[in-house]
């Protein structure tokens, strides 16, 4: 038995496109994920989409019941930008969109559950994509304007705001590759252009909150960065360097401009992309530069570090041969391979269970980001289904134990922990077949019936007893 660290809040998360359904309900317009999933042939592994998914647009009251039943302190959900602003701009606020989020927020508060809102969890209005989306620097204005509307409408009741969820997944997988919408496949270019614009758009949303809303609303605002851990596979100089480079491409690209006193992109990334670009005949680096003014504008613009973590990868340069990845590309710029070590694997083959990795990643944030308050905004484990998810319980138990070490031994300032996810939902390119939920969802049933898994009951007990029980496994009633 291990006591939960004092004051650590425990919550659970979802995201709009993954759970809401109602893709064309009311006056909602398509997001880039609607467009992506409706392509022929469908680019999603099991040919599904988020058209209906959990239909939380209709059944959100059931979600409230579930969160309440488990006793979570807070619920992290996201706003669908095109549901609230059907034109993408602030000319028109959707009555039905606004009502949906008001009902959800009020329902949470009535049940004593704190609402935490993510403004952008990947569902950009399609119209803004046609104007270039995150590759157009005007998005700094568009996103700031959208954020201001959300603060204005909901900020009297919502005190924690997350601007952008996981810039890497948006830029590298969406603009650089084809895994995520809008699947542009312009690697080594679009991923870096969007990185800069996302950093500045986040900073804009933070400055607006800080100046115009914080004085009266008195909340906090920050960004969430996917902070999977990367490290060299051995202690050899080359492997250690490969690991440090990989971590800066994975995380530093987004954290360095916002959390360090120096600001701007990390030195390792600047250097590698500049050298490669030169070799490849570009007249200047493919990595855009920040002006001095932009560096100052972005620095210190997050009240907390939003930390998503799933696993760890080990890197080496020994086996890397140029040409392995397209040239130019983000992966070629890193110039290192990851290798699978013999760690326990989850049902989903690429998920390796490496609990000490989360402790190291938290320590990395402490040391490289000015020891910020850290909100763990996502952590979770995928299966292919079943209610008796013992493997998920093992994952949570080991990862939480390692997080508690980070807090109690390493002195990391972790203020909250969030489970991904409340229920099975639309898992992006993997569709509906990969399950992250504490609750199982029957997607074939019109009511999208949700049933508690063993892991849900395990969390209920953890929250109630404020103890991490390192032995007990609940039983299905
Ligand atoms: C998050 O992204 C999303 O925010 C969320 O919407 C999604 O449903 C959830 O995670 C589950 O996938 O071996 O170290 O490379 C996920 C980003 C990137 C997390 C790849 C896992 C692989 C672990 N993912 N990463 S590692």
């Amino acid at each position: 038995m291990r006591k939960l660290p004092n004051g650590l809040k425990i919550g659970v998360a979802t995201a709009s496109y993954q759970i809401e359904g109602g893709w064309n309900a009311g006056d909602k317009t398509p997001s880039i994920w609607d467009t992506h999933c409706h392509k022929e042939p469908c680019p999603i592994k099991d040919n599904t989409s988020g058209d209906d998914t959990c239909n939380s647009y209709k059944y959100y009251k059931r979600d409230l019941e579930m969160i309440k039943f488990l006793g979570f302190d807070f619920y992290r959900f996201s706003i669908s930008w095109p549901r609230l602003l059907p034109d993408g701009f602030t000319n028109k606020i959707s009555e039905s969109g606004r009502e949906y989020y008001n009902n959800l927020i009020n329902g949470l508060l009535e049940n004593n559950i704190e609402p935490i809102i993510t403004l952008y969890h990947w569902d950009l209005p399609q119209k803004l994509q046609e104007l270039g989306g995150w590759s157009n620097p005007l998005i700094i204005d568009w996103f700031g304007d959208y954020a201001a509307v959300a603060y204005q409408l909901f900020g009297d009741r919502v005190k924690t705001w997350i601007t952008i969820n996981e810039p890497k997944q948006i830029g590298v997988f969406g603009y650089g590759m084809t895994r995520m919408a809008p699947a542009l496949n312009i690697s080594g270019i679009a991923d870096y252009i969007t990185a800069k614009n996302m950093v500045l758009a986040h900073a804009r949303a933070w400055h607006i909150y800080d100046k115009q809303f914080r004085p009266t609303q008195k909340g906090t605002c920050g960004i969430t960065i996917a902070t999977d851990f990367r490290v060299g596979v051995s202690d050899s100089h080359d492997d250690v360097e490969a690991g440090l480079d990989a971590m800066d491409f994975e995380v530093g690209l987004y954290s360095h401009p916002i959390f360090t006193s120096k600001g701007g992109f990390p030195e390792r990334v600047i250097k590698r992309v500049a050298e490669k670009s030169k070799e490849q005949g570009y007249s200047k680096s493919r990595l855009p530069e920040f002006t001095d003014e932009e560096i100052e504008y972005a620095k210190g613009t997050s009240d907390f570090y939003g930390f998503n973590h799933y696993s760890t990868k080990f890197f080496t340069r020994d086996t890397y041969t140029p040409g392995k990845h397209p040239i130019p590309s983000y992966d070629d710029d890193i110039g290192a391979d990851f290798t699978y070590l013999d760690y326990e694997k989850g049902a989903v083959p690429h998920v390796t269970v490496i609990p000490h990795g989360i402790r190291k990643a938290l320590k990395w944030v402490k040391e490289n980001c000015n020891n910020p308050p850290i909100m763990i905004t996502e952590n979770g484990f995928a299966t292919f289904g079943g209610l008796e998810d013992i493997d998920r319980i093992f994952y949570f138990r080991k990862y939480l134990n390692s997080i508690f070490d980070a807090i109690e031994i390493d002195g990391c300032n972790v203020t909250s922990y969030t489970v991904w996810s409340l229920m099975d939902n639309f898992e992006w390119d993997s569709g509906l077949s990969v399950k992250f939920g504490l609750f199982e969802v029957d997607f074939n049933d019109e009511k999208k019936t949700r049933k508690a898994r063993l892991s849900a009951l395990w969390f209920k007990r953890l929250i109630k007893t404020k103890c991490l029980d390192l032995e007990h496994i609940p039983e299905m009633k």
Side-chain angles (χ1 to χ4, degrees):
M1 288 284 246
R2 189 166 181 182
K3 268 188 84 67
L4 258 57
N6 255 341
L8 184 76
K9 291 197 226 170
I10 311 277
V12 67
T14 61
S16 47
Y17 186 71
Q18 296 181 273
I19 66 154
E20 284 178 1
W23 77 278
N24 60 1
D27 45 9
K28 181 180 171 295
T29 58
S31 78
I32 55 175
W33 272 93
D34 295 310
T35 307
H36 185 66
C37 295
H38 293 164
K39 279 181 204 155
E40 308 235 4
C42 173
I44 306 305
K45 271 190 196 113
D46 57 359
N47 289 307
T48 57
S49 74
D51 284 5
D52 303 320
T53 177
C54 311
N55 203 350
S56 287
Y57 186 66
K58 188 164 170 195
Y59 299 121
Y60 70 94
K61 286 192 179 148
R62 171 69 179 132
D63 300 346
L64 294 174
E65 254 172 42
M66 286 145 53
I67 305 164
K68 172 92 179 159
F69 170 72
L70 299 186
F72 284 112
D73 296 310
F74 62 89
Y75 179 44
R76 172 186 177 222
F77 62 96
S78 78
I79 295 181
S80 158
W81 186 341
R83 192 182 296 290
L84 189 63
L85 302 179
D87 289 340
F89 300 104
T90 56
N91 56 311
K92 180 174 162 198
I93 296 170
S94 159
E95 215 21 75
S96 50
R98 170 191 176 151
E99 192 185 295
Y100 172 66
Y101 294 112
N102 268 330
N103 287 342
L104 178 57
I105 293 164
N106 294 339
L108 288 165
L109 292 172
E110 280 157 23
N111 286 294
N112 237 325
I113 304 155
E114 183 190 339
I116 295 187
I117 291 187
T118 310
L119 288 168
Y120 188 75
H121 202 125
W122 309 357
D123 40 0
L124 190 74
Q126 177 61 30
K127 285 183 194 178
L128 299 186
Q129 189 60 51
E130 275 147 34
L131 294 169
W134 292 101
S135 63
N136 186 340
L138 287 173
I139 199 159
I140 300 161
D141 293 338
W142 307 337
F143 185 66
D145 293 347
Y146 158 54
V149 169
Y151 304 148
Q152 182 75 51
L153 292 176
F154 309 122
D156 56 334
R157 287 152 293 153
V158 175
K159 302 300 167 188
T160 308
W161 295 92
I162 294 162
T163 56
I164 296 175
N165 180 69
E166 298 192 346
K168 154 150 188 213
Q169 275 55 37
I170 298 164
V172 173
F173 293 150
Y175 287 72
M177 303 179 191
T178 56
R179 269 187 65 183
M180 304 274 159
L184 293 192
N185 208 18
I186 313 176
S187 192
I189 310 271
D191 24 26
Y192 301 132
I193 295 174
T194 56
K196 179 178 168 180
N197 292 336
M198 286 188 280
V199 164
L200 293 173
H202 153 79
R204 174 67 58 84
W206 183 88
H207 281 293
I208 291 172
Y209 190 76
D210 193 49
K211 288 209 181 58
Q212 299 171 29
F213 294 91
R214 198 198 304 272
T216 51
Q217 297 185 351
K218 303 193 190 322
T220 57
C221 175
I223 191 169
T224 279
I225 298 174
T227 316
D228 285 332
F229 193 54
R230 272 87 185 88
V231 65
V233 71
S234 79
D235 290 341
S236 82
H237 175 77
D238 282 358
D239 285 351
V240 170
E241 284 296 305
L244 292 170
D245 284 339
M247 192 64 180
D248 265 349
F249 274 87
E250 180 80 21
V251 182
L253 192 56
Y254 316 97
S255 64
H256 198 275
I258 296 169
F259 291 95
T260 66
S261 6
K262 185 154 181 265
F265 287 131
E267 223 28 73
R268 284 175 180 275
V269 178
I270 294 177
K271 196 162 162 267
R272 287 194 69 82
V273 181
E275 278 169 12
K276 292 256 181 183
S277 303
K278 201 169 167 207
E279 277 167 35
Q280 293 158 358
Y282 290 87
S283 58
K284 60 178 182 174
S285 178
R286 288 178 275 101
L287 186 73
E289 278 178 29
F290 285 104
T291 64
D292 290 346
E293 210 184 316
E294 287 167 341
I295 288 180
E296 288 310 312
Y297 188 74
K299 265 183 359 186
T301 58
S302 199
D303 303 323
F304 52 82
Y305 186 108
F307 176 102
N308 287 0
H309 182 100
Y310 289 85
S311 191
T312 292
K313 275 190 178 132
F314 302 91
F315 279 76
T316 180
R317 276 207 170 101
D318 292 352
T319 52
Y320 189 79
T321 42
K324 195 163 204 164
H325 294 288
I327 297 175
S329 67
Y330 167 90
D331 281 329
D332 183 65
D333 288 339
I334 303 173
D337 287 321
F338 62 84
T339 51
Y340 284 113
L341 295 186
D342 195 18
Y343 278 100
E344 190 187 324
K345 300 214 180 7
V348 176
H350 62 268
V351 179
T352 36
V353 184
I354 309 175
H356 66 267
I358 197 166
R359 177 171 171 191
K360 294 206 168 132
L362 288 165
K363 197 160 176 230
W364 185 94
V365 171
K366 180 185 181 199
E367 287 167 357
N368 292 278
C369 298
N370 276 328
N371 192 16
I374 300 173
M375 285 173 31
I376 298 178
T377 42
E378 282 179 32
N379 177 230
F381 182 81
T383 69
F384 287 121
L387 289 175
E388 309 226 341
D389 54 346
I390 310 280
D391 42 359
R392 182 177 281 110
I393 294 176
F394 285 166
Y395 176 95
F396 281 128
R397 178 196 272 170
K398 289 177 191 162
Y399 272 66
L400 278 164
N401 199 36
S402 191
I403 292 165
F404 295 178
D405 286 345
I407 299 172
E408 289 163 3
I409 303 171
D410 305 334
C412 295
N413 185 8
V414 179
T415 59
S416 60
Y417 174 85
T418 318
V419 177
W420 184 271
S421 178
L422 176 62
M423 60 194 152
D424 296 343
N425 57 50
F426 180 76
E427 178 50 26
W428 309 114
D429 54 332
S430 302
L432 295 173
S433 54
V434 167
K435 321 282 187 185
F436 271 96
L438 295 182
F439 281 76
E440 177 187 78
V441 177
D442 183 353
F443 293 109
N444 295 317
D445 163 17
E446 195 281 325
K447 290 219 151 65
K448 311 291 173 190
T449 305
R450 294 107 153 97
K451 267 196 206 139
R453 290 206 167 97
L454 273 187
S455 57
L457 305 177
W458 185 84
F459 260 105
K460 184 177 166 70
R461 187 161 181 269
L462 174 129
I463 294 165
K464 198 167 163 215
T465 59
K466 293 188 166 35
C467 271
L468 176 63
D469 190 327
L470 295 162
E471 275 157 29
H472 176 84
I473 303 261
E475 274 169 39
M476 223 54 200
K477 275 171 254 153

